[in-house]
Amino acid sequence: MPDPELAAWLRLTLVPGLGGQTLRKLLSEFGLPSRALAAGRAALARSVGEALAGRILATDDQATAVAAALRWADAPGHAVITLADREYPPRLLEIADPPAVLYVDGRTDLLSRPSLAIVGSRNATPQGIANATSFARAFSEAGLTIVSGLALGIDAAAHRGALDGEGATVAVLGSGVDVAYPARNADLHRAIAARGALVSEFPLGTPAIGGNFPRRNRLISGLARGVLVVEAALASGSLITARLAAEQGRDVFAIPGSIHSPLSKGCHALIKDGAKLVESAQDVLGELGLPAPARTVAQSSPEVAHELLAHLGYDPCNVDTLCQRSGLTPDTVSAMLLQLELEGRVASLPGGRYQRIA
Amino acid sequence: MPDPELAAWLRLTLVPGLGGQTLRKLLSEFGLPSRALAAGRAALARSVGEALAGRILATDDQATAVAAALRWADAPGHAVITLADREYPPRLLEIADPPAVLYVDGRTDLLSRPSLAIVGSRNATPQGIANATSFARAFSEAGLTIVSGLALGIDAAAHRGALDGEGATVAVLGSGVDVAYPARNADLHRAIAARGALVSEFPLGTPAIGGNFPRRNRLISGLARGVLVVEAALASGSLITARLAAEQGRDVFAIPGSIHSPLSKGCHALIKDGAKLVESAQDVLGELGLPAPARTVAQSSPEVAHELLAHLGYDPCNVDTLCQRSGLTPDTVSAMLLQLELEGRVASLPGGRYQRIA
């Protein structure tokens, strides 16, 4: 049974040329979308002009798309959340241009949970990927939902790290929520729909076009309490997201790197502008007033972690070799390595290798 | 012909157990050292106690050392500067505990010129050494005197970079100015005496003992307008120098690096505490209100620098190979590489190789 009010919201957002600002004007003058649609052409025209009033009332133009969206929303795990819904994420109401509707594939509850955005370059270095993964996992284990943009590189690594941890992650798309873009992240798209949430303000089927991404970026920072930039070039989308975040009053965090790495220049520029330099997950958690994650492995078996350090030695070594040397399972070794990495005692290197540094 | 007033200064500073604070007390009560020495035992005892008054007046104890210091000061290029001299560096008068005398081997004028301190780890990485050298060279070419501590690692690289440039550098020693320590820097010790200045507040012949270095560090920052920390571990002497610098009202600058490098943790801690993140010499010059160095090479022949980039390619390459490929002299190639490095277009690698990065 379709919800007539939801149909009215969808119809308004699908009118060509009717942007967020005009839609909010209609809402403030007429109340709910159904009342705007019932107000008559003359009243609409006085509010938004003749041309737009005509397009709003040309039902045939949007009827097919509205029906398809209602069918989509009816499927298990799908939802369309409007500005009038209780489920609408409160933090998005704080931003200058909150979307009228959000298409969600997955857990709508995640949109209102404490969350941190992690963004960065599509062409990240192996160390950047490793950092994004391990920070996301640590934040996830501390109870934060990880928000990112499902791009290649840092975004994908952040989502994967969150899924490795407690598993809560939200991907905000610059395409329709049903469009798996980029194709190389199709598996991740499915995994997030199943265990996290995919979110978009764009109508179903919207292709991933460049112009959508700056709009999308404001939602990544808008949904989160803060934004961590892992690696970013100067003049990159990640820097735009970070600057939008600062305008939205969100905390901005950045990981430093070599002054000779072009992918650290964006992070350094942010730190110069007042972003907080981050060396460990604890730096961010402390700033957000959150407790450190329960350090179950290290606390319950410090002697085993110590033994692992001895097995590791000072030469780079991978998890398989460490399992052989220690007799521990890969899961346990990985958890301990993460722990030791967060404590600054081992470094993760490209190629899944680890090295003792303290 | 020895200067009797200088002899009196030397005699007071050579009294065992007579520290800077007590010496300043004597100066404020009696005026010049010669007047303190002529005031009589009873007056001295009222000021500093019986025991110390006795030691001050026991001329025999200091006579040999005073005579030796006066002979040393008479040699070409040597000087002992007292708090009462016009040559005493004005910036040291701003600090809490200015030394009463400074032994100088080299150019005393450098002590009062605009200067920047560069400090860092003795166990620096090859990239840290390269950074210290190229930053020092750039500051030197911009007219700044480079102050450091003649330790191994970053200190030595900073002095060498300054000598590569316009050549003004000051080494502040934790030993007597005539003690070449560490032995591995003996050549640098000689080069700085010849072209820059070696400075110490410790009597001639004082060995390099650990306790002297914290005192020495306050002079490194005290002589400079700011301190740049290139690489430093947590809990290192460089961090102590940086914190003294902040207390003295000097600007503190730090170069970031990988969050997995123990030698970047000190720099990151300083940035978290408010030090300025530095990516290029220009970052520091701008903050100090100084113009950028004249970019003679790049400005006069941009097409040649561009050609050099083409010769460099994206694989690491040394200066000799570049000279062969380009037909340019080593000096010209080195100058262009420095220029390109400061512009962030090439990175210097360990072993004197360079790599194009932009």
Side-chain angles (χ1 to χ4, degrees), chain A residues 127 131 260 268 272 279 283, chain B residues 127 131 260 272 279 283:
Chain A
Q127 185 62 65
N131 287 345
H260 303 290
H268 294 161
K272 286 176 180 174
E279 293 183 285
D283 284 347
Chain B
Q127 185 61 66
N131 288 344
H260 303 290
K272 286 177 180 174
E279 293 182 285
D283 284 348

Side-chain angles (χ1 to χ4, degrees), chain A residues 5-190:
Chain A
E5 194 59 54
L6 178 57
W9 278 99
L10 287 165
R11 187 170 146 196
L12 277 189
T13 59
L14 291 165
V15 171
L18 177 58
Q21 204 176 341
T22 312
L23 203 150
R24 285 193 298 280
K25 185 176 199 289
L26 286 172
L27 294 175
S28 74
E29 288 181 20
F30 298 101
L32 287 170
S34 57
R35 298 205 191 132
L37 291 169
R41 182 170 189 127
L44 275 180
R46 274 194 300 277
S47 175
V48 297
E50 279 292 342
L52 203 47
R55 285 208 294 280
I56 289 171
L57 296 173
T59 49
D60 288 355
D61 289 358
Q62 291 94 47
T64 314
V66 169
L70 289 171
R71 274 196 308 279
W72 181 88
D74 237 21
H78 293 181
V80 178
I81 300 176
T82 74
L83 271 171
D85 289 331
R86 269 186 309 124
E87 291 87 355
Y88 195 88
R91 270 190 304 272
L92 283 191
L93 296 174
E94 300 166 3
I95 73 173
D97 184 21
V101 301
L102 290 170
Y103 298 81
V104 184
D105 186 355
R107 292 172 53 185
T108 54
D109 67 297
L110 292 182
L111 305 183
S112 303
R113 282 186 44 182
S115 62
L116 184 80
I118 298 182
V119 299
S121 174
R122 282 184 293 277
N123 307 305
T125 68
Q127 185 62 65
I129 298 286
N131 287 345
T133 308
S134 62
F135 275 81
R137 206 187 305 163
F139 293 134
S140 175
E141 282 166 3
L144 284 173
T145 296
I146 300 301
V147 181
S148 194
L150 199 63
L152 297 174
I154 297 298
D155 283 17
H159 289 303
R160 289 204 169 94
L163 291 172
D164 286 351
E166 298 296 306
T169 192
V170 170
V172 187
L173 307 187
S175 61
V177 75
D178 56 337
V179 175
Y181 174 87
R184 271 203 272 164
N185 281 344
D187 62 327
L188 194 53
H189 190 273
R190 276 191 299 274

Side-chain angles (χ1 to χ4, degrees), chain A residues 105-318:
Chain A
D105 186 355
R107 292 172 53 185
T108 54
D109 67 297
L110 292 182
L111 305 183
S112 303
R113 282 186 44 182
S115 62
L116 184 80
I118 298 182
V119 299
S121 174
R122 282 184 293 277
N123 307 305
T125 68
Q127 185 62 65
I129 298 286
N131 287 345
T133 308
S134 62
F135 275 81
R137 206 187 305 163
F139 293 134
S140 175
E141 282 166 3
L144 284 173
T145 296
I146 300 301
V147 181
S148 194
L150 199 63
L152 297 174
I154 297 298
D155 283 17
H159 289 303
R160 289 204 169 94
L163 291 172
D164 286 351
E166 298 296 306
T169 192
V170 170
V172 187
L173 307 187
S175 61
V177 75
D178 56 337
V179 175
Y181 174 87
R184 271 203 272 164
N185 281 344
D187 62 327
L188 194 53
H189 190 273
R190 276 191 299 274
I192 296 172
R195 296 169 51 202
L198 300 165
V199 187
S200 175
E201 68 178 306
F202 298 107
L204 296 170
T206 303
I209 53 170
N212 292 349
F213 288 93
R215 286 183 59 74
R216 184 277 305 263
N217 291 347
R218 86 190 193 291
L219 299 192
I220 292 178
S221 51
L223 282 168
R225 293 184 53 179
V227 174
L228 172 64
V229 183
V230 175
E231 277 190 330
L234 290 172
S236 64
S238 305
L239 252 59
I240 298 172
T241 305
R243 294 202 163 116
L244 287 171
E247 284 172 20
Q248 292 169 348
R250 308 299 189 240
D251 284 311
V252 180
F253 304 96
I255 296 179
S258 166
I259 57 171
H260 303 290
S261 167
L263 287 176
S264 290
K265 289 195 189 300
C267 291
H268 294 161
L270 291 172
I271 294 168
K272 286 176 180 174
D273 285 352
K276 290 170 188 77
L277 184 152
V278 166
E279 293 183 285
S280 68
Q282 188 49 49
D283 284 347
V284 175
L285 295 173
E287 197 67 41
L288 296 177
L290 297 171
R295 306 201 153 187
T296 46
V297 174
Q299 282 176 346
S300 62
S301 55
E303 63 290 337
V304 182
H306 186 258
E307 199 183 296
L308 192 71
L309 269 185
H311 286 301
L312 186 51
Y314 286 89
D315 285 323
C317 178
N318 64 21

